[in-house]
Amino acid sequence: MFDPDLTGFGALRGQRVAVAMSGGVDSSVVAALAAASGCEVVGVTLQLYVSGAAAARPGACCAGADIRDARGVAERLGIAHYVIDMEARFRDAVITAFADSYARGQTPVPCVECNKTVKFTDLLALARELDCTALLTGHYVQRIDGSDGPELHRGADPAKDQSYFLWTTTRRQLDYLRFPLGGLSKPEVRRAAEHFGLAVAAKPDSQDICFVGGGDYAAIVERLRPELATPGDIVDLGGRVIGRHAGIHRFTVGQRRGLDIGGAPEPLYVVRIDAAANRVVAGPRAALAVTSARVEDCNALGALDGPLMVKVRSLAAPAPARWYGDRIVFDTPLFGVAPGQAAVAYRGSRLVAGAMIAATEGAVAGTDRLASVF
């Protein structure tokens, strides 16, 4: 039995609120909780695909069956529901940017771009146009009022925390956003869906990148940037050719699988991707060790002084570090830090800043990967 805690809606009771409804269980429960609290709920679903494999593939949110599921939940709850065509915007802001990042030899995080542009810029603006007091989403993060305004914190369930993907959220956006699931676990959310009689209660979570069918992201990239399918050299740290590749977009820093280099005295990993020369640089695991990183496009939500815990990949454990302007120095070397990924800093559970990793500095002589010296 699930006993919904609606106290967190506070001043929103009786107010008109927008709920981003993807058709999944999380956003559906948010809509149900908001309706149960006495809010006037406006459900908004973004149609991100109209045709193609992505639209029909299970796990591709905001398309096909997901839109029908969102509409069904809205009917069940008796709330208004709108479907907004955002396919062109999503293609330009997220999918094309995804391919462009690989063309630069980076490893992109498309969920960050989606939250930054389509969801927390376009959808948020639409919610304001609809005269809504707040925009509610199903993200597993917590918005906590602090002495200097609202703060962004990790979700209470470590297995579902999505704060890494929301580092671009600005203070002004955070003032308008609400995350009702931040204090819940996934099992609790599913029990809530059952409590409200939602047909999506047992619906599987979306997996991987929503617009990549079957995990074949390379096909997406090659369709948009066919020139990246040009074969090139795999070289060692000294520049000696040791193999060939079928396109730099098929590799990321730290990758071992796919190098297909025989006769090496020890396992080799991708250490650097030289996009200008169409080369993949490989080396031993020790060459992956990174002592610092140069970052850009920083978004600070709190103070960056003193010791912090920094995540450099979504699934990586936070590591102790210090942040100096556009430079992050790690207390101990980290492995597999890739340009194009995000560096997200925490103090306790609070997200205090995030930025894009532009370049890294190796701990092993000869593996400097910085575009310039700090």
Side-chain angles (χ1 to χ4, degrees):
M1 183 67 180
F2 177 82
D3 182 18
D5 180 4
L6 305 177
T7 57
F9 284 87
L12 293 180
R13 293 175 184 273
Q15 300 293 310
R16 174 183 293 175
V17 299
V19 176
M21 297 182 68
S22 67
V25 63
D26 297 326
S27 59
S28 297
V29 167
V30 169
L33 289 171
S37 74
C39 293
E40 178 189 350
V41 181
V42 178
V44 181
T45 299
L46 303 180
Q47 180 173 286
L48 304 183
Y49 318 96
V50 172
S51 60
R57 182 178 64 84
C61 67
C62 306
D66 297 297
I67 293 176
R68 292 192 293 272
D69 287 343
R71 183 179 293 116
V73 169
E75 291 175 353
R76 164 74 180 175
L77 299 175
I79 63 174
H81 180 246
Y82 300 96
V83 178
I84 310 299
D85 181 2
M86 296 291 287
E87 183 180 23
R89 170 64 163 156
F90 183 74
R91 182 178 60 247
D92 294 341
V94 181
I95 301 179
T96 299
F98 177 78
D100 289 345
S101 184
Y102 275 108
R104 294 190 295 270
Q106 300 175 332
T107 303
V109 194
C111 291
V112 169
E113 288 303 313
C114 185
N115 288 323
K116 177 182 178 181
T117 57
V118 176
K119 293 180 181 176
F120 287 178
T121 297
D122 302 333
L123 179 55
L124 193 146
L126 175 62
R128 291 186 185 277
E129 290 176 8
L130 292 172
D131 197 28
C132 293
T133 302
L135 171 62
L136 284 58
T137 80
H139 289 99
Y140 285 83
V141 293
Q142 298 184 84
R143 177 189 180 277
I144 297 176
D145 289 324
S147 57
D148 297 322
E151 301 172 352
L152 186 60
H153 288 249
R154 288 193 187 100
D157 182 354
K160 296 299 296 181
D161 169 49
Q162 294 173 299
S163 60
Y164 178 86
F165 301 107
L166 299 185
W167 66 265
T168 61
T169 306
T170 66
R171 292 176 184 270
R172 184 171 183 270
Q173 290 168 343
L174 192 57
D175 191 53
Y176 189 71
L177 290 163
R178 299 293 187 277
F179 310 105
L181 306 187
L184 302 177
S185 66
K186 188 71 180 197
E188 289 175 315
V189 170
R190 292 203 182 277
R191 286 198 295 273
E194 294 171 353
H195 170 83
F196 289 113
L198 305 182
V200 296
K203 186 175 181 178
D205 290 344
S206 58
Q207 300 293 327
D208 302 319
I209 301 171
C210 66
F211 57 85
V212 177
D216 187 8
Y217 75 90
I220 298 286
V221 174
E222 288 173 13
R223 188 170 71 241
L224 295 171
R225 295 289 180 267
E227 70 277 9
L228 291 179
T230 303
D233 292 331
I234 300 175
V235 302
D236 63 16
L237 297 178
R240 182 174 63 92
V241 177
I242 56 176
R244 296 282 288 174
H245 67 75
I248 59 171
H249 62 296
R250 295 179 176 273
F251 298 88
T252 182
V253 171
Q255 180 177 331
R256 179 182 174 188
R257 184 178 180 182
L259 286 175
D260 296 328
I261 299 170
E266 59 182 315
L268 296 179
Y269 301 81
V270 176
V271 174
R272 182 172 71 255
I273 299 172
D274 186 344
N278 193 32
R279 299 193 308 179
V280 173
V281 182
R285 185 176 185 277
L288 289 173
V290 165
T291 55
S292 60
R294 179 169 60 82
V295 295
E296 56 190 14
D297 300 328
C298 177
N299 178 50
L301 293 173
L304 285 169
D305 57 304
L308 300 166
M309 298 297 288
V310 176
K311 290 186 68 167
V312 294
R313 283 184 184 262
S314 61
L315 298 179
R322 291 180 181 267
W323 197 305
Y324 305 100
D326 66 350
R327 181 189 183 191
I328 301 173
V329 179
F330 305 108
D331 287 12
T332 57
L334 301 184
F335 291 81
V337 184
Q341 293 282 291
V344 180
Y346 300 86
R347 177 169 285 112
S349 66
R350 183 185 179 187
L351 191 159
V352 295
M356 297 303 298
I357 299 171
T360 58
E361 183 177 43
V364 177
T367 60
D368 190 349
R369 296 183 284 282
L370 285 170
S372 60
V373 178
F374 286 135

